[in-house]
Amino acid sequence: MSMQSGRVDGKVALITGGASGMGEAIATRFVREGASVVIADMDASRGKALEERLGLQARFMPLDVRSEGDWNSAVNEVERQFGPLSILVNCAGILKESSLEYTTPEEYRLLTDVMQFGVYLGMRAVAPSMRRDGGGSIINISSTAGIVGYPQTFAYTAAKWAVRGMTKAAALDLADGKIRVNSIHPGNTNTPMIQCNDYSVEDVPLKRNASAEEIAHLALFLASDESLYITGAEHVIDGGFTAY
């Protein structure tokens, strides 16, 4: 009886924020489809539990996405254990609801450090490894808050718009190395850190939130060779909300 090969067989993926929510769903799907997966997160308890659940194809690695040293160490360790990186998913994120006038400089820096500066550091750290491997796929998790504006999420929205722009610039800079860079823009998704945008499911044409697994389906497509001609693009998955 022949075994069906997975859609990312033999690929090596690093997923930030990989211990829970969308990151956990993406890690789980990638392992199921044949990839070796590094679960990068600051939550060691959840990360190690997921590593144990996913088996030999998964490794937990502590990583603060704001630290250049952490990124360099992580990439070196991934290459030592698995080989060159094929896939990076920048999924680490935090959400604090606050309007412009009530967002403190400290809060603004925290959110943009994690979700903007961390994405920059990650893309920069993995690019040499992907070049050595002859190419790769970088997937940046943004949000519908990177497509339209939302009230009460000033710093979060600023970071997610930045991710959209950085994705396009990086796609142009890295194309000569056959490194594709795309962004995913989920609407409200049922995760522990639900993106609390100011709308209810009644405002969504499909009348429901997304599941984390549905985001993982899209990430899998962008990570696989099925999307080799797609780069520099934003992929909205929001049940039609931004179609209005």
Side-chain angles (χ1 to χ4, degrees):
M1 179 174 140
S2 63
M3 296 289 291
Q4 185 177 4
S5 61
R7 292 164 65 188
V8 285
D9 264 350
K11 296 185 185 293
V12 178
L14 188 153
I15 303 169
T16 70
S20 63
M22 293 181 201
E24 178 181 0
I26 294 168
T28 301
R29 187 66 194 277
F30 281 12
V31 165
R32 191 184 310 148
E33 294 289 343
S36 298
V37 173
V38 174
I39 304 155
D41 207 293
M42 294 182 69
D43 189 336
S45 176
R46 290 185 69 101
K48 289 176 181 176
L50 182 59
E51 173 191 81
E52 184 174 342
R53 189 161 74 249
L54 294 182
L56 296 177
Q57 285 174 244
R59 295 285 188 280
F60 167 72
M61 192 173 294
L63 172 65
D64 183 345
V65 297
R66 301 167 294 178
S67 166
E68 183 180 10
D70 273 18
W71 271 110
N72 292 336
S73 297
V75 171
N76 289 337
E77 184 63 18
V78 171
E79 289 197 314
R80 188 186 71 80
Q81 290 194 33
F82 296 116
L85 268 160
S86 318
I87 303 160
L88 169 65
V89 182
N90 280 309
C91 194
I94 52 178
L95 174 63
K96 179 174 176 57
E97 294 185 77
S98 183
S99 69
L100 166 62
E101 293 170 288
Y102 292 96
T103 300
T104 67
E106 293 75 22
E107 291 168 346
Y108 185 87
R109 289 193 183 101
L110 173 62
L111 268 68
T112 55
D113 277 355
V114 171
M115 294 184 293
Q116 177 180 344
F117 187 63
V119 170
Y120 149 71
L121 288 178
M123 292 193 293
R124 186 170 180 266
V126 305
S129 184
M130 288 185 175
R131 285 186 182 276
R132 286 193 294 272
D133 199 36
S137 176
I138 296 174
I139 302 162
N140 296 324
I141 306 298
S142 181
S143 166
T144 49
I147 300 291
V148 296
Y150 289 103
Q152 303 297 321
T153 58
F154 181 78
Y156 181 86
T157 298
K160 293 304 189 180
W161 272 84
V163 167
R164 180 183 176 189
M166 289 194 300
T167 294
K168 292 181 180 298
L172 299 176
D173 288 342
L174 300 178
D176 65 330
K178 294 185 173 61
I179 300 169
R180 298 176 294 109
V181 191
N182 291 285
S183 55
I184 293 178
H185 298 257
N188 265 19
T189 304
N190 293 325
T191 67
M193 189 197 80
I194 189 167
Q195 296 176 9
C196 299
N197 300 324
D198 189 24
Y199 66 84
S200 73
V201 293
E202 291 306 310
D203 298 318
V204 179
L206 292 184
K207 303 302 182 190
R208 65 176 178 86
N209 290 338
S211 68
E213 289 72 25
E214 287 173 308
I215 311 305
H217 296 331
L218 180 53
L220 175 64
F221 169 69
L222 293 173
S224 76
D225 290 348
E226 299 162 16
S227 58
L228 286 177
Y229 201 57
I230 299 175
T231 194
E234 60 267 7
H235 301 266
V236 179
I237 178 167
D238 67 351
F241 177 74
T242 55
Y244 284 114

